[in-house]
Amino acid sequence: MSKLPSEAGYQHDVLGWLEELGWEVYGLDGEYGGSRLDREYNRTDKREVIYWDLLSEWLVESEINPEITEDNVDEVLNSLQRDLNHDTLVTGNRDFHEVLTTGKKFTLRAEGFVTDRDEDGDVDVIYVDLIDFENLENNRFVAADEFQVDGPNGRIRPDVNLFVNGIPLVTMELKSIAEDNDFYDAIRDLRNYEEKRSRLFVPGLFNVAADQGEYRYAAVGAPQRLYMPWRNAPEQYAVEDNEPKQAIRAMCNRETLLNLLKNYVFHERQPGGDARIIPRYMQYYAVEEIFDLIRTTDHKRGLIWHTQGSGKSFTMLFAARNLIQGATLGDRAPVLDNPQVLVVVDTDDLESQMENQLNALNFDRFDVARSGAHLQRLLEEGRSTLVLTTIQKFGNVDSDVQGNDETVIMSDEAHRYMEKDLGTKLNAALPNAYHFGFTGTPVREGDRDTFRNYEIPDSEDPYLHRYSIKDGIDDGLILPVHFDIHEIEWDIDRAALNQAFDAEFDHLDLDEKRELIQEYVTQTEIAELRSRVSAVTRSIDEHYRGVEENGWKGMVVTPSRKAAALYGEELLKYRDPEEVEVLYTSNDPGAGDESGPGDKKLISQFHTTPEERSDIIRRFKDPDENPKLVVVCDMLLTGFDAPAVKAMYLDRNLKNHKLLQAIARTNRPAEQKNNGLIVDYQGVFRNLDEAFEYDDEEVKEMAAQPRDELFEKLERKIDDLLGLFEGIERDDSQETLLECLSRVSSHPEKRDFKQGFREVRDLYETLEPDPDLEKKGIRDDYRWLLTIYIAFRRNNNRDESPEDEFRAQTQKILQENVDVTDIKREFPIYELNGEDLEAMLDLPSMGAKANAIEHATQAHLQPRVDSNPQYEEFGKRVERIITQRQNGSITDPEAVERLTEVSNEILEFEEELSEQGLSDASYAIYLTLDEEYGDVIADEETAKDVAQDLWEGFEEEIQTDFEGWETRDSTRKAIRKMIIQRLIKKHGLSSLAKDDEFLEETIGYLIENAE
């Protein structure tokens, strides 16, 4: 196996890949690329995030803005600089994106331009293009590593930044698995950068977090859960066996990057604050496939088969907006000249959801058809807008009313209606339209065939674009679903069956009667037997208690309103009324078939109004509100997303697309949710070939998998983890725990334990409270590994309370079987001081000593590294030692010796600071003067005097008693003025007073070290 590169080596690889894509690359020659760019383009103020000189040069020389000259370009840039100021990152990001894509509004105070004039006719208003979207080669594409950005809370230095015309559009953080870091660590760093230096991300398009095996990207400001892979690539960018390289080639090639920036960004109003939306790879490529088909063929139909939960609505909206706005890029003309785009759904709820979505996106130019007559009028007018309608409204639309030759139809969940009468009406109304069907569950049943309806002649595939269940699970977009078949013993209720049946078959024993009933009585009739419902309900309640402890919700699926009402009544015997709701409407199965007054009374008790149902659904989606269990017939089985739902109790014989849709209610991701679960009381999953009559075997394999596979996977993972500690006596003593921690103190064991335990925890919490965990000894294995993990987190992550991260099932084990207080006492969080250093050196093994000193030293340096260049030097030395230890080039004893040496130097340095009476800022300035300005400064004493004087001037003259002082331009100007005046008047150092680099560095030290 080839050796994985270090983080620096991986950074070098990425720059090389970008160079192959045509980027100007800074950083391949051994010098920090950011430092070299700073010199070339006179970036002395490290707070600035745009290379203003580069942008100025491009604006004047590119000729895309003929009105901009050397005489007025500075005025444009000064105005643009104000656009970087923002109340929140997301609002700043939204507003700057508009500037990037539509141009910077600028007022010219000159005559003779054919532009909009103000009321007096004295000035011209133009829009200055910052990027050339027509001639892509006219732009400057620059990639640089180690771009340093300073600010009041320290500095950041992302691994790689991508600039277009000096504007940072992409920030990358790269990690090396060889150094026990992965893309999760990179995401954490990026989110920290956004918080510390949000100004860098205001112009940004997206961020990239990657290690050697995985690539993740997300829009600026996105939470960790939205960092997704980009797995596919066109042929010219495809790479075998190197996912990060392929993803960078596919996303960061110059054309795709600018296409994403210009044509694939939404900003959405959300309850918790606005969010930027950029496409997932399957959305992007599906839209591009639609456009290619329209541009290059005579075909007018195509199927987009994307699994449920993959974001089909946004795929349609990205396509619709590009079509309506006539999106262009480079030499690509608009797909169509003036199209009308129809988005068709099949329920009022979905129409309402889509209308709300369009409003939240501030989608330009859309209409909602309020009736069949209104729809017909919109179609006859043919205006270039998005028209949202339900398929039902086509029931009252005449044939051949297409008023726009470039009509494009996008049918959501097309399998549900396009082969029926309303689909025929739609086709008759718009006979010459382009028509694209979107579905996660295509149908092939008798005369109904979604594939045939949208087939492309001569195509090898029955679809235009495919994103499978397996793709969704692999990408983490949806979760795997497991099923568990529950056989329930129940007493036959003689009163529930008619007397004729009972008399005729009275000679049979109980098992024979049950078998006969299951053969000759319908599934619905069986599901409506009170005795059976009572037995199943006991099972549901017992099982759900384990699900409920971890905070998840559940659904009970029945074949009729009567069955649903029976389940509602029985569940209320076990649960508080607010925890259970029953939802059905007059359109659900069995409506109107109630056999008597008793049935009607049973069913009517759970009747709800539309408003009440909406409120119940809203509360059910909220993990912190009741109800916990909802009983349904047909409601919520399609188009309902609730990540808090984990378990479905299935007592209805569903098949094919209906079963796939039901399964998908449980597969939506949520934090610490690892899978969905179907508890099958009908035996639907006994024969997967009957349950899923699809030619595609992957559908059967991936739709749902036996729960037994979870046990097998958990046992394998636990065996792998226990193998890390082979030969160590299994007890809970401190000596044993220290020996275990020593085993997982370096690569690759450290990574294997950290990642492996995370998987074991997730699987275990999924399976609890299954009694087989105890029978198979899994619970005891997990308890011992949990003890090691708590100590590991204390030792490696310096967590005060690592036990808080676990869900209820693991918390129960901790409370009953693990003495966390003892672990905390035996594994203290060491600080870097003389007493703790001695304690660390007294630990029983070299691995334990190295670990403890390494983490204490890093924790000590991390908040100080930007306040003083000496701390930065100490930090580099510690990182080198850690890297050498991780890659095996030095032993644990050697690492202990070197880390101890650095630790002692840090303590001596801080003691010297204290003795000299210099503040951290004074000492930082002193070191800078002494080491870098020896030709200006006479001697060490002069350097100390100047440094101390500048710190005293800061404390005396600069106002710091109001919130946000450290980010104000006025504050920096005042500090700069104070420094210049004191250097010239008190010290006669006029040359130093003109040195911008020294001034900016000193301002940074003063602000960083202010109390």
Side-chain angles (χ1 to χ4, degrees):
M1 178 179 169
S2 60
K3 186 177 179 181
L4 291 169
S6 65
E7 188 173 309
Y10 186 35
Q11 200 166 292
H12 195 274
D13 290 343
V14 170
L15 289 174
W17 303 340
L18 291 164
E19 189 173 46
E20 292 171 6
L21 293 170
W23 289 78
E24 297 175 55
V25 170
Y26 288 71
L28 287 175
D29 58 359
E31 181 185 7
Y32 283 171
S35 299
R36 191 173 140 218
L37 262 180
D38 290 349
R39 281 201 316 277
E40 286 192 19
Y41 292 99
N42 195 33
R43 179 178 173 263
T44 57
D45 185 350
K46 297 299 189 290
R47 295 175 308 144
E48 295 295 349
V49 299
I50 291 176
Y51 281 104
W52 297 110
D53 284 8
L54 193 163
L55 180 58
S56 172
E57 179 183 292
W58 182 83
L59 286 172
V60 172
E61 296 179 1
S62 66
E63 300 181 355
I64 187 174
N65 300 291
E67 303 92 342
I68 302 304
T69 66
E70 289 184 0
D71 294 331
N72 60 20
V73 68
D74 285 345
E75 197 174 344
V76 175
L77 299 183
N78 289 338
S79 177
L80 183 63
Q81 197 166 29
R82 291 191 288 273
D83 291 320
L84 290 170
N85 299 327
H86 56 280
D87 293 326
T88 68
L89 173 56
V90 174
T91 56
N93 188 243
R94 177 197 64 206
D95 295 343
F96 207 94
H97 177 262
E98 184 175 356
V99 172
L100 288 173
T101 52
T102 64
K104 171 62 183 172
K105 188 176 182 180
F106 181 62
T107 301
L108 286 168
R109 310 190 190 287
E111 298 285 341
F113 297 108
V114 185
T115 55
D116 296 331
R117 294 183 179 275
D118 68 3
E119 294 177 358
D120 300 325
D122 294 329
V123 296
D124 294 310
V125 177
I126 64 170
Y127 285 85
V128 179
D129 290 324
L130 305 179
I131 295 173
D132 191 339
F133 289 106
E134 294 183 7
N135 180 8
L136 305 189
E137 295 297 325
N138 192 31
N139 298 291
R140 289 282 306 278
F141 296 88
V142 174
D145 69 346
E146 303 296 336
F147 176 63
Q148 178 180 319
V149 183
D150 290 348
N153 300 318
R155 69 177 55 124
I156 64 171
R157 191 183 283 127
D159 291 325
V160 174
N161 280 91
L162 305 186
F163 302 86
V164 176
N165 304 329
I167 301 168
L169 295 185
V170 180
T171 298
M172 296 183 178
E173 191 67 12
L174 311 172
K175 298 298 179 183
S176 171
I177 299 173
E179 296 175 5
D180 288 315
N181 293 310
D182 58 21
F183 70 87
Y184 289 108
D185 299 294
I187 294 171
R188 185 185 63 244
D189 287 351
L190 285 165
R191 289 179 54 73
N192 184 43
Y193 294 164
E194 286 181 338
E195 186 175 337
K196 288 177 68 175
R197 297 288 171 275
S198 58
R199 192 178 180 88
L200 170 62
F201 298 89
V202 169
L205 174 58
F206 60 83
N207 300 331
V208 170
D211 56 41
Q212 288 99 337
E214 298 282 353
Y215 172 99
R216 297 290 186 273
Y217 77 98
V220 167
Q224 176 177 312
R225 62 183 172 81
L226 294 183
Y227 275 77
M228 302 298 294
W230 187 285
R231 297 208 196 275
N232 285 1
E235 186 176 348
Q236 69 266 37
Y237 300 120
V239 177
E240 286 189 17
D241 301 323
N242 192 333
E243 180 185 309
K245 181 176 182 179
Q246 174 174 281
I248 286 173
R249 288 174 57 80
M251 275 196 94
C252 299
N253 69 80
R254 297 174 297 177
E255 180 177 353
T256 301
L257 182 71
L258 293 189
N259 195 21
L260 288 168
L261 176 67
K262 183 174 185 285
N263 300 317
Y264 284 90
V265 174
F266 281 121
H267 290 94
E268 181 181 29
R269 293 193 307 275
Q270 296 180 351
D274 292 356
R276 165 171 284 194
I277 309 293
I278 59 175
R280 298 162 180 155
Y281 68 90
M282 85 295 294
Q283 295 169 328
Y284 179 78
Y285 289 129
V287 173
E288 292 293 313
E289 288 280 2
I290 290 171
F291 296 166
D292 285 347
L293 183 137
I294 295 174
R295 280 193 180 105
T296 62
T297 75
D298 295 327
H299 303 312
K300 289 197 167 186
R301 300 175 84 81
L303 179 66
I304 310 301
W305 181 8
H306 285 189
T307 190
Q308 296 169 92
S310 59
K312 293 186 292 296
S313 295
F314 271 108
T315 306
M316 289 189 287
L317 295 182
F318 279 123
R321 190 182 64 176
N322 275 286
L323 288 167
I324 293 168
Q325 292 185 351
T328 61
L329 186 75
D331 57 3
R332 288 197 292 180
V335 178
L336 294 168
D337 292 331
N338 200 35
Q340 184 176 66
V341 178
L342 263 73
V343 173
V344 183
V345 296
D346 68 338
T347 70
D348 291 338
D349 283 345
L350 289 175
E351 182 183 71
S352 178
Q353 288 175 29
M354 183 64 82
E355 182 179 3
N356 291 339
Q357 182 72 80
L358 290 165
N359 283 318
L361 296 173
N362 287 320
F363 196 98
D364 291 334
R365 295 157 56 187
F366 79 90
D367 294 299
V368 181
R370 301 301 178 186
S371 64
H374 184 209
L375 174 60
Q376 178 159 330
R377 186 167 70 252
L378 290 170
L379 297 178
E380 289 172 341
E381 291 171 354
R383 289 182 295 110
S384 183
T385 62
L386 183 153
V387 176
L388 173 62
T389 183
T390 59
I391 185 66
Q392 287 78 10
K393 294 187 181 81
F394 277 95
N396 298 316
V397 171
D398 296 337
S399 297
D400 201 9
V401 294
Q402 184 173 332
N404 188 321
D405 292 337
E406 295 182 327
T407 297
V408 180
I409 305 166
M410 291 185 280
S411 294
D412 187 28
E413 303 298 351
H415 67 279
R416 296 210 290 251
Y417 51 83
M418 280 314 301
E419 288 85 25
K420 298 181 180 179
D421 291 344
L422 287 172
T424 303
K425 289 282 290 181
L426 182 153
N427 290 330
L430 302 167
N432 299 311
Y434 295 94
H435 194 161
F436 299 96
F438 290 74
T439 182
T441 53
V443 174
R444 185 171 275 167
E445 297 175 351
D447 293 337
R448 295 182 63 196
D449 191 330
T450 313
F451 298 108
R452 184 177 62 231
N453 191 36
Y454 289 98
E455 70 181 349
I456 302 171
D458 304 323
S459 173
E460 293 182 3
D461 297 316
Y463 47 79
L464 182 61
H465 196 268
R466 171 88 188 274
Y467 184 76
S468 69
I469 297 173
K470 183 178 185 303
D471 292 331
I473 292 172
D474 289 345
D475 291 348
L477 201 57
I478 57 175
L479 299 174
V481 176
H482 295 269
F483 64 83
D484 196 7
I485 300 173
H486 277 212
E487 302 281 358
I488 298 298
E489 294 294 326
W490 50 281
D491 295 326
I492 296 175
D493 182 357
R494 293 174 181 271
L497 300 174
N498 64 58
Q499 291 181 349
F501 179 94
D502 198 32
E504 184 171 354
F505 298 107
D506 192 52
H507 63 284
L508 300 178
D509 65 26
L510 190 63
D511 288 339
E512 290 173 323
K513 278 187 179 181
R514 185 178 290 110
E515 188 176 324
L516 194 66
I517 289 170
Q518 289 175 339
E519 184 174 353
Y520 290 104
V521 181
T522 68
Q523 296 289 349
T524 299
E525 288 171 325
I526 292 174
E528 292 175 353
L529 295 175
R530 170 79 70 171
S531 59
R532 182 180 175 280
V533 170
S534 178
V536 174
T537 301
R538 282 195 299 274
S539 170
I540 290 173
D541 180 68
E542 181 182 343
H543 183 279
Y544 179 67
R545 290 190 185 279
V547 176
E548 177 185 23
E549 281 186 344
N550 278 324
W552 306 118
K553 297 193 174 188
M555 297 174 66
V556 181
V557 180
T558 70
S560 70
R561 300 199 306 169
K562 180 179 178 180
L566 286 169
Y567 272 109
E569 280 193 342
E570 292 296 319
L571 282 167
L572 288 172
K573 294 177 182 178
Y574 297 92
R575 301 199 150 262
D576 293 336
E578 65 270 15
E579 293 181 349
V580 178
E581 293 284 1
V582 180
L583 289 177
Y584 42 62
T585 69
S586 58
N587 296 320
D588 276 338
D593 295 339
E594 295 80 26
S595 57
D599 286 352
K600 291 180 179 178
K601 182 178 179 182
L602 170 72
I603 291 167
S604 64
Q605 68 181 309
F606 294 112
H607 278 168
T608 50
T609 65
E611 293 76 17
E612 288 171 333
R613 289 194 291 273
S614 295
D615 183 61
I616 290 168
I617 291 169
R618 178 192 63 76
R619 289 186 283 111
F620 187 51
K621 286 183 173 184
D622 189 330
D624 298 321
E625 288 198 51
N626 282 317
K628 296 179 179 179
L629 280 168
V630 165
V631 185
V632 300
C633 305
D634 266 7
M635 283 193 71
L636 309 188
L637 295 187
T638 60
F640 172 70
D641 289 345
V645 174
K646 181 182 177 75
M648 175 175 286
Y649 300 95
L650 183 63
D651 198 20
R652 181 176 175 187
N653 190 18
L654 299 174
K655 292 177 64 176
N656 294 328
H657 66 283
K658 289 185 177 180
L659 182 55
L660 285 174
Q661 288 173 329
I663 286 170
R665 298 317 107 209
T666 70
N667 72 3
R668 298 307 194 257
E671 188 176 354
Q672 294 191 31
K673 179 182 174 186
N674 312 298
N675 67 287
L677 177 63
I678 309 295
V679 182
D680 177 10
Y681 292 100
Q682 280 278 355
V684 171
F685 288 94
R686 279 200 193 94
N687 189 325
L688 292 180
D689 288 331
E690 290 183 4
F692 301 109
E693 296 175 355
Y694 285 94
D695 296 334
D696 192 325
E697 288 297 318
E698 186 183 290
V699 173
K700 300 173 187 175
E701 293 172 9
M702 300 305 299
Q705 299 149 13
R707 186 173 169 84
D708 289 347
E709 291 185 7
L710 281 176
F711 266 101
E712 294 170 7
K713 186 176 181 181
L714 175 57
E715 288 176 301
R716 287 197 307 270
K717 294 291 182 184
I718 283 181
D719 286 343
D720 289 343
L721 284 186
L722 293 176
L724 294 172
F725 309 109
E726 187 175 357
I728 298 176
E729 186 176 352
R730 186 162 155 175
D731 60 39
D732 297 334
S733 68
Q734 185 188 29
E735 292 76 13
T736 294
L737 287 178
L738 282 168
E739 193 174 354
C740 290
L741 293 182
S742 183
R743 284 278 182 94
V744 293
S745 64
S746 59
H747 174 76
E749 291 81 8
K750 182 178 180 180
R751 182 186 72 245
D752 292 345
F753 179 70
K754 184 168 64 173
Q755 295 179 351
F757 185 83
R758 188 164 53 204
E759 294 180 67
V760 165
R761 177 201 64 196
D762 292 346
L763 288 165
Y764 183 88
E765 291 182 342
T766 293
L767 288 165
E768 270 284 27
D770 197 302
D772 282 347
L773 292 169
E774 186 72 46
K775 293 176 186 174
K776 297 183 177 185
I778 294 173
R779 188 169 288 137
D780 191 51
D781 290 338
Y782 181 62
R783 184 207 61 77
W784 190 64
L785 291 169
L786 180 59
T787 303
I788 298 170
Y789 185 73
I790 295 288
F792 177 86
R793 294 283 294 183
R794 291 279 293 179
N795 194 52
N796 286 269
N797 297 76
R798 300 173 63 82
D799 282 358
E800 288 289 349
S801 300
E803 68 276 13
D804 291 347
E805 72 177 64
F806 299 110
R807 282 192 172 269
Q809 299 292 355
T810 299
Q811 290 285 359
K812 185 185 295 184
I813 290 182
L814 284 171
Q815 291 162 11
E816 295 174 357
N817 300 285
V818 178
D819 193 332
V820 176
T821 304
D822 274 357
I823 295 175
K824 289 183 175 181
R825 185 177 60 253
E826 292 170 356
F827 294 89
I829 295 177
Y830 293 108
E831 305 298 335
L832 189 60
N833 56 53
E835 184 179 344
D836 278 8
L837 185 55
E838 285 184 19
M840 290 185 276
L841 291 170
D842 282 340
L843 292 170
S845 73
M846 283 295 178
K849 294 175 185 179
N851 268 355
I853 302 173
E854 169 188 318
H855 295 299
T857 308
Q858 283 184 306
H860 187 81
L861 291 174
Q862 195 276 330
R864 296 171 171 84
V865 72
D866 294 329
S867 66
N868 193 306
Q870 188 60 54
Y871 282 123
E872 186 173 7
E873 182 58 35
F874 285 139
K876 289 177 181 177
R877 287 173 62 189
V878 170
E879 287 300 323
R880 279 197 297 271
I881 296 167
I882 292 170
T883 300
Q884 290 167 341
R885 182 184 176 221
Q886 295 290 355
N887 64 30
S889 59
I890 63 173
T891 63
D892 282 346
E894 289 172 320
V896 170
E897 181 181 352
R898 297 182 189 187
L899 286 168
T900 303
E901 181 182 343
V902 177
S903 298
N904 282 322
E905 288 183 31
I906 294 170
L907 295 175
E908 290 168 6
F909 164 71
E910 291 177 345
E911 187 177 351
E912 181 184 346
L913 266 183
S914 178
E915 289 175 354
Q916 290 184 351
L918 292 176
S919 67
D920 286 341
S922 300
Y923 196 83
I925 298 167
Y926 156 70
L927 280 181
T928 302
L929 290 170
D930 188 49
E931 294 177 3
E932 298 178 27
Y933 295 93
D935 56 335
V936 177
I937 301 297
D939 50 41
E940 286 188 22
E941 285 305 314
T942 302
K944 287 179 183 178
D945 289 343
V946 173
Q948 187 63 29
D949 182 53
L950 295 182
W951 174 247
E952 289 172 0
F954 175 82
E955 289 194 307
E956 292 169 6
E957 299 181 29
I958 306 303
Q959 186 178 357
T960 61
D961 58 354
F962 60 93
E963 187 175 351
W965 66 268
E966 67 274 20
T967 61
R968 297 279 185 91
D969 281 338
S970 58
T971 300
R972 295 184 72 90
K973 288 177 181 176
I975 299 172
R976 189 183 185 93
K977 181 180 178 182
M978 177 275 294
I979 295 170
I980 291 172
Q981 287 179 341
R982 290 195 174 224
L983 286 175
I984 295 173
K985 294 181 178 179
K986 294 186 68 173
H987 305 287
L989 296 171
S990 56
S991 61
L992 204 56
K994 298 175 184 176
D995 190 317
D996 279 337
E997 189 169 346
F998 172 76
L999 293 174
E1000 286 301 322
E1001 198 168 359
T1002 301
I1003 292 170
Y1005 288 140
L1006 292 171
I1007 292 177
E1008 183 67 33
N1009 287 283
E1011 294 293 335

